[in-house]
Amino acid sequence: MNSQRLFGLSLIFISALSLSACGGGGGNNDEPFISPIEPVDPVAPPVVDTDNDTIPDVTDNCVNDPNTDQADADVNGEGDVCDPMPTTYAFENANGASTVSYTGQTARQILLSDLVTKLNSLERSADNVPAQVASDLNFYICLDADIRDPDYPPTFKLSDDGLMIGNSTMEADDRLVPADVSSGKRICNKIAGEDKADHILGGEFFGGTAATPLLQINEWVALVAEESADTTDTISTATGTANIGTPSISEDGRNYRQLLQKFILGALAFSQGTADYWSIDYGSDSNLTLAEGKTYSEGAHDYDESVGYFGMSRAYGIMSDAEIKDPGYADNIVVDGLIDVRSEYNFGNSQNCAKRDLGSADNANPTNFTGEVFNAIIIGRQILNNAQADATETSPGSLSPDAAAALAVQIEIAALTWEKCIAATVVHYINDVQGDMANFVGDEFADLDNFTTLSKHWSELYGFALGLQFSPFSPFQNGSVPGIDVDSLKTILQLVGTAPVLADGTQNGILFNGASSPAAARDDYLANLNEAREILQEAYGFDAINVANW
C-alpha cells in the first residue's frame, strides 16, 4: 500500500469520528444534523388599565372611572362610580315610565293627619255626647270609605296654606282629602293584627291596657270622647286649683290625642312597612312579574308601599334635616309652584329621623339617620328595578342570589334605622318627662302648663314605645344584640307604666311603687326612666352623649 492511499483512508476515518461525536451518522440514523435552539417564552399581552386604578380592564367594573374598591351596591356588574344610585326616589323602566307608586299609603298618612286635626279641634263641653264624639273620630279611623268619602271635609293643608295637588288631573287647592290621592283607604283594617294575625309578633300584644292594638285605639277613642264631655276635671298647682280645659287630657295625665297619633304610627305605619311589605319573598315569580296593567313588578310595588308608610318625600335625600323637620315639604320634584303630596311631602316617622339628627348635630358622634335610611332604601329599590328589567305580566324578571342577599341587607338597614328614629324619639321624650318633673314645686305642679306639658311628653313617649313591638327586624325580636330580647322591651314598657307619675307621686291614682312619700315615688319613677333609657341605649348602640342630649 502506497503512502497516498494510506493518507486517504485516514481522512475518511477522521471524518467518521467527527460525525459520530456530533451525533450525526452512526447506526441507522440518517437524519440531517440540526443545531440546538434555546426555547423562547410566548410574549404575554400587555395589561390594559385604562383608568389607572390598578384593576385591569378585563375585570374592572368601571373601565373608564377609577374605583379600586370596585363597589357595586346594586350588584348589577357595573360599579357605583360609573353607575351611581339615584339621588331621589325615582325609578323608571326601559321606556322611561315611572315604576314608583304608593298612593294608598299617602292617603292613610293624610287620614291620620286629619284625625289629629279633629282631635285638636275638640272642646270640652257638657253638651258633647261621648258616643257622637267617638263616632266623629272613627270617621277617620274605621268608617267604610264608600260612606265616608262623599261627606269628607277638606282638612289637610300646608303650614303656609300653599297650593297642593294629590293627583295629576286635579285643580290645585289649599285643602286635600285622602281620596284626592287614593280612594277607599281606611286605617283600622291595616292595624297590626287586623290585616294579618301574625303581624302581632309572637301572637302577643303587650304593654297596653287592651287585648289588641285596634282595641287599644278604640279604648282611647272612647276615653277622649268621655273627657270632651267632662268640664269638671281639675288639678292642684302651686298657684291653686286649675281646670284642665284641654279635652284630650285626663286628670291622670294621659293625652289621648298624642297617644292615638303616636301609637297609630307604630301599629299602622311601622308594622305595615316592616312586618308586611319588607318581609315578603321578593325573589318569587309572582313578585318578579309586572302587576296587571302597571309599569312595576308586584315586589317593587310592595317595597314602595313600605316607603310610603315611612313617609319620606322622594327628595328626602337631598333635603336638609332642618327642611325635613320644618316645614317638611318642598317644591323640588316637579318645580311648578305646587306641592304634590305624593312626592314632595314628608310625613310622620320620616320627620322624626331628621329631628333626632338635628338633636345630635353638635355632639362628638352625631347621627345621620336620614342619610342612612335613604341610602339603604334607594339601593334596595334599585336592585328591584334591575330585577324587573325583562319582566312582563306573565313572565318574571330575575333576582340573582347575590342581588337577593344584597337586597335583604339593605332592607334590614332601612328597617332598623327607621326603628332607631322611633327609639331615639322615645329617649328624647324620656328626657323631656324628666325635665318636666324637675319643674314640680314640692308635691305640686308649678302651674297648669307644667301639667299639660308633662302629659304631652309622657304620652308621646309611651305611644312611640308601645309601637316598637311591631318590627321583625328589631333587636328586641331577632336576637341580634346579646342580652336584648322581647322581654327587654316588655321591661321598658313596665318601667314607663300606663300613665305618668304626677307631682303628688301617684300613677293611675296610686302612690307609685308603694313608696313611703310623694318624693320617694317620684325618685323611684325617675330611676325607672333612667333604666328604660339605658336599655334603649344598649339595644340600639346609641352614643351616650346623644342619649343624654336628645
Side-chain angles (χ1 to χ4, degrees):
M1 181 179 296
N2 59 33
S3 60
Q4 187 175 3
R5 177 177 173 82
L6 180 62
F7 176 74
L9 290 171
S10 299
L11 288 174
I12 293 171
F13 179 71
I14 292 169
S15 297
L17 287 175
S18 298
L19 288 172
S20 177
C22 293
N28 296 320
N29 186 354
D30 58 358
E31 293 183 5
F33 168 70
I34 300 175
S35 297
I37 299 174
E38 292 294 327
V40 178
D41 290 333
V43 177
V47 175
V48 179
D49 181 11
T50 302
D51 55 13
N52 297 313
D53 63 357
T54 74
I55 308 296
D57 283 3
V58 292
T59 56
D60 195 341
N61 62 17
C62 279
V63 172
N64 297 310
D65 300 284
N67 65 331
T68 305
D69 63 7
Q70 295 289 284
D72 179 16
D74 62 339
V75 200
N76 69 342
E78 297 182 50
D80 297 339
V81 169
C82 57
D83 179 36
M85 295 299 104
T87 57
T88 62
Y89 197 78
F91 301 91
E92 297 178 343
N93 63 15
N95 298 320
S98 174
T99 64
V100 175
S101 176
Y102 49 82
T103 54
Q105 289 61 48
T106 301
R108 290 189 182 91
Q109 298 276 13
I110 293 173
L111 274 169
L112 178 54
S113 176
D114 287 352
L115 170 64
V116 171
T117 299
K118 183 65 176 179
L119 285 161
N120 286 337
S121 71
L122 286 179
E123 296 181 358
R124 282 187 185 265
S125 171
D127 294 331
N128 285 339
V129 177
Q132 183 59 53
V133 173
S135 177
D136 291 345
L137 296 174
N138 273 314
F139 176 90
Y140 300 96
I141 300 171
C142 220
L143 186 62
D144 187 321
D146 290 338
I147 298 171
R148 179 199 69 203
D149 286 350
D151 296 320
Y152 200 102
T155 303
F156 184 81
K157 69 183 187 70
L158 302 177
S159 60
D160 63 358
D161 293 319
L163 295 177
M164 301 175 288
I165 58 171
N167 62 66
S168 300
T169 60
M170 70 174 289
E171 293 289 331
D173 204 337
D174 63 354
R175 296 289 189 280
L176 287 180
V177 298
D180 287 332
V181 180
S182 184
S183 61
K185 301 301 182 287
R186 296 189 299 157
I187 287 176
C188 68
N189 62 321
K190 293 293 184 178
I191 295 295
E194 302 304 311
D195 55 343
K196 296 178 182 177
D198 61 4
H199 290 171
I200 298 178
L201 304 181
E204 177 190 14
F205 172 59
F206 57 84
T209 55
T212 70
L214 184 58
L215 288 176
Q216 184 68 78
I217 291 168
N218 292 341
E219 177 183 297
W220 287 337
V221 165
L223 288 170
V224 73
E226 291 175 8
E227 286 294 334
S228 74
D230 185 353
T231 61
T232 64
D233 278 2
T234 60
I235 60 161
S236 177
T237 76
T239 57
T241 301
N243 190 287
I244 292 175
T246 306
S248 59
I249 301 179
S250 64
E251 285 181 315
D252 55 18
R254 293 185 183 92
N255 184 316
Y256 296 113
R257 167 264 197 259
Q258 296 292 346
L259 288 170
L260 283 164
Q261 180 190 22
K262 274 50 180 186
F263 180 61
I264 290 173
L265 283 172
L268 169 70
F270 188 51
S271 171
Q272 284 289 294
T274 59
D276 193 347
Y277 294 119
W278 273 344
S279 294
I280 68 168
D281 178 8
Y282 285 98
S284 69
D285 283 354
S286 60
N287 284 322
L288 290 169
T289 303
L290 294 189
E292 185 177 355
K294 303 297 184 181
T295 60
Y296 45 74
S297 69
E298 295 283 2
H301 183 49
D302 281 351
Y303 189 96
D304 288 344
E305 290 178 298
S306 288
V307 174
Y309 278 121
F310 176 59
M312 72 176 197
S313 77
R314 298 189 194 181
Y316 193 74
I318 61 175
M319 295 177 71
S320 69
D321 288 330
E323 191 177 19
I324 293 170
K325 175 187 175 184
D326 186 21
Y329 52 86
D331 181 24
N332 54 10
I333 295 296
V334 176
V335 181
D336 54 4
L338 308 173
I339 297 299
D340 188 334
V341 296
R342 299 170 300 173
S343 60
E344 297 178 323
Y345 195 96
N346 293 291
F347 291 93
N349 284 312
S350 72
Q351 288 187 296
N352 285 321
C353 293
K355 292 175 182 178
R356 303 294 79 81
D357 284 347
L358 289 169
S360 67
D362 295 330
N363 298 338
N365 297 300
T367 58
N368 183 25
F369 293 144
T370 54
E372 290 169 11
V373 71
F374 181 78
N375 289 339
I377 284 173
I378 285 289
I379 294 170
R381 186 57 170 79
Q382 183 64 59
I383 290 171
L384 290 173
N385 216 55
N386 299 341
Q388 73 166 62
D390 299 320
T392 67
E393 292 180 15
T394 56
S395 177
S398 177
L399 186 68
S400 71
D402 285 347
L407 173 62
V409 168
Q410 298 306 323
I411 286 176
E412 184 170 359
I413 292 171
L416 180 58
T417 307
W418 179 354
E419 183 170 350
K420 286 180 177 179
C421 296
I422 299 172
T425 301
V426 174
V427 170
H428 168 72
Y429 286 118
I430 286 176
N431 294 341
D432 278 353
V433 167
Q434 291 181 324
D436 298 330
M437 295 179 69
N439 291 329
F440 295 162
V441 177
D443 297 341
E444 305 280 5
F445 291 103
D447 50 29
L448 179 60
D449 183 65
N450 185 199
F451 169 76
T452 58
T453 302
L454 171 70
S455 172
K456 174 184 181 296
H457 291 156
W458 180 89
S459 298
E460 293 186 273
L461 151 62
Y462 179 63
F464 277 124
L466 200 56
L468 287 173
Q469 65 188 283
F470 296 118
S471 172
F473 301 96
S474 173
F476 294 119
Q477 300 285 349
N478 62 17
S480 59
V481 178
I484 295 295
D485 56 22
V486 70
D487 287 336
S488 305
L489 181 56
K490 290 179 180 179
T491 297
I492 290 172
L493 292 168
Q494 289 165 358
L495 291 166
V496 171
T498 58
V501 168
L502 305 181
D504 63 2
T506 62
Q507 182 184 65
N508 290 314
I510 301 171
L511 201 63
F512 179 71
N513 205 28
S516 59
S517 68
R522 293 192 299 269
D523 287 344
D524 285 351
Y525 190 62
L526 288 169
N528 274 17
L529 294 180
N530 284 336
E531 184 178 347
R533 186 172 56 192
E534 288 168 1
I535 296 172
L536 290 166
Q537 180 178 336
E538 180 182 359
Y540 299 102
F542 290 148
D543 178 85
I545 295 176
N546 292 340
V547 165
N549 289 293
W550 269 325

